[in-house]
Amino acid sequence: MRIRPFARFSRYKIPAVLIVVLCFTICSCAPLLNTAFNNSLPPLEGEQTVTGLSQKVTVKRDNMGIPLIEAANMEDLIFASGYVSAYDRFAQMEGFRLVGQGRLSELLGDATLEMDIYLRSLNLNQVAQTLYMSGSPDLQHKLKLYSDGVNAYLANAPLPMTLKMAGYKPEPWKPIDSVYVFIVLTLGLGQNLHEEINMLNIAQAVEPEKLAWLFPIYPDEPLPFEEMKKLAVVDLKTAANDIEHLSRIASVTNRLLIHETAASNNWVVSGKLTQSGKPIFANDTHLPLTMPSIWQMVHLKCPEIEGAGIAIAGVPGIVAGYNGHTAVGMTMVMADNQDLFLEKLKQEPDGLYYLYKDKWIKATSRQETFRVKGQKTPVTRTLYETKHGALLNNVLTDKPRHELVPMPVNQSLGIALSWAGKEPDHTMDSFFNIMQAKSVDEVLKFTGRDTSVIPLNMVMADKNDIAWQVTGRFPLRKKGRGLCPSPGWTGEYDWNGFLDPSLHPSVKNPAKGYVGTANHRTVPADFPYILSSSWYYPDRAERIAQMIEGAKGYSAETAKAMQLDVYSPFVKVLKTALLEEKTLQEMRSIWQNSEKNQTAENAMALLRDFDGYMRTDSAGAAFCGAFMFSLPKNLFADELGGTDSRAYESLLETFLLAYSSLHDHLTDRGKNSPFWDNVNTPAKEERSLILAQTVLDAIGILEKRCGKDPEKWQWGKLHTYTWQTDATKFSDYMGFVEKRALKSLSGYFDRGPYPAAGDHTTLNVTGYYPGKNFDVWLIPEMRLIADFGSDEPLIGINSSGQSDNPSSPYYDDGITAFREGKYQKFPFKEENVKAQYTKTLTLLPKQ
């Protein structure tokens, strides 16, 4: 059967205004939308003639729509992967591209203009050009093939309905556009920029000697008092408005566009610990809960290469997975490769100047033009850079529209960003080379040398060996750790090159028989070089070691159990803090005058008996979650200006960026913190008083949400997943009509809420922001396991469906599998491939 591509839908054009009107009646007219979206679905079977192919390509789909793309040669395979990526996720690809280029306002209007200015101020265009030009001719050729495949699809297909509804027509895909997509994901793997902006906000409310208590490095490392002294010589009040408004726009940009997260678990277990005697690999990447998932799953095959795993829509190749010989996966190192430098500025008639080593130097400048949907006249901004990098003050605009829009720039104190990602790099080449590696030794050849722009813990395995390698580019600083923003005018905190890759931590076939990473500190406290000052909580890494070492005959089932595990080691810390005899007696003396006295005692009994598993139906988990939610307000809000202050909001954001003050204050060291006092009262409060009040506040939340009977408290009634599209998330920042229209569509596009087990300390991560809400925003966006002792080693699952079209059966089927802990097979043997992939679309070259 030969299909004329998309013939039926291409005859119709639905005006964007009509769609908006229909949105208001969506509850009763869902079938109309479903028909429109269904008509835009491309066929999954039959034949299509495609200009640009040299030979036939087959695209086979399994019962979840995951494609196996098989070609007769590498060039057709790369071309077809571009075609299929656009087929499944072009709306997502276009979103990534516009974010990377700082052009989102062309799609969404002036509501996102400040975000575009912020992104352009980072000069991602220069980063993209540098990465593209430093890539090999072979890489550039592959990117051209991929873009040709994307454009071949766009030439045959109607626009995705989401773009059509916005009245937006995308440009053809260019090879460098894939680099922009790659950079968007890369930038999110360095959270220091956001962390340091938050610190500047907090530093305006807290003196440097107390600030160190709010930014602990790790449980066993000293608090960074010396690092915070840098801020004592800076008058932040001269730029208070700038810092606050920069923080707001950076925060919303990171929340909606470039997600800065502490992400992922991975581990490899050698054959000496497994039932089969062969290694087992596991990886789950923790990223923001999105609809669709950031990842696609794909199987690629041609005579030169075969591999399956996860891919990014918009970038050719496989990021993590298995190729028939090796399995490779990654987590964030938590590398500190971004530093903020505070610059002294002055405006002269011929331009902007900054002070450096007692000399005034003219800042470099460039003009950027922004086209804004709905506006005839483009917006132009002059953006500046110092020797330390881009001046982020340039996000500040002339007239604020709402709280997310910065106020006019104060040209006295500049905020400049140094980022290691701006150097020439061969990382994208390396990913292609790793796809073809036939042994751990071959993978190490590339990870130890060429993967510089992304700071990752790469773990890998083949049928005999396992290994771990740190990648990335780590600044060597003349002075300081890089945790705190530095005065730029002295030059004493400048970078002095990067750590030689030969000194990056790595291990092959460790004596203990396994290696695992979970964004924790993977090197000793006395490691001679600073990789990070922002390691994540140690809990998940401790649990990985505990479960591997406790297994009797490790197997793929053990790996599954680990990826789905919801035990929190941190519960022991919380029990110690609340149940030690002296503290408990002091809290009881406070509760005895409260009507909630008996309920508080019941809550302590729940905690004492709680097994640490953060299950949805657990009352103990509900109490722990509610307590951690309530503690920030009672512990920190008074010093930071109240719960509505930007300093307090900034502190809340730090809780999931790295090991945080919230947890550290519940340790023995935290008992000595000056924050165990309410500065708004004349008396000096005791720690037990604040803990006792937090217990009562937690009870208030639980009684309101779950009822007065503690036996009926359930974590899943507080803590929930909701899969939301970018349109829903952006609706809060749109105009009234657009906001109402998008909100009315949310029931069609979004899924949830569903009860969620776990939290940010469990292997099965469901991160939420204590002090803000209980909504899950961080999850394992995918799970992969490769058992080299199995006939078919690779299994995995995504966190959403394969398609970004809500009328597709593959839009949300992955959500059910994800929540139920099911895995999909990725067969390599021909007989198993035939059984797995039941739908075939054949792409034929145009004669």
Side-chain angles (χ1 to χ4, degrees), residues 197-244:
I197 291 174
N198 284 327
M199 189 180 296
L200 288 175
N201 261 322
I202 297 168
Q204 294 175 75
V206 176
E207 55 268 26
E209 58 267 26
K210 290 180 70 174
L211 193 63
W213 287 95
L214 301 181
F215 290 89
I217 295 171
Y218 215 58
D220 64 351
E221 293 194 41
L223 294 172
F225 292 107
E226 190 65 29
E227 176 76 5
M228 298 305 172
K229 289 180 181 179
K230 291 189 292 185
L231 291 179
V233 302
V234 180
D235 183 8
L236 295 178
K237 293 180 180 179
T238 63
N241 286 339
D242 290 10
I243 293 169
E244 179 172 351

Side-chain angles (χ1 to χ4, degrees), residues 19 21 65 102 236 265 304 311 330 400 405 489 498 533-534 575 588 614 656 661 721 782:
I19 291 293
V21 173
L236 295 178
N265 304 315
E304 298 97 322
M330 69 281 297
V405 182
W489 53 88
F498 300 97
S533 299
S534 307
K575 284 186 175 185
R588 282 171 170 162
M614 303 292 288
L656 285 189
S661 57
Y721 301 104
M782 67 78 177

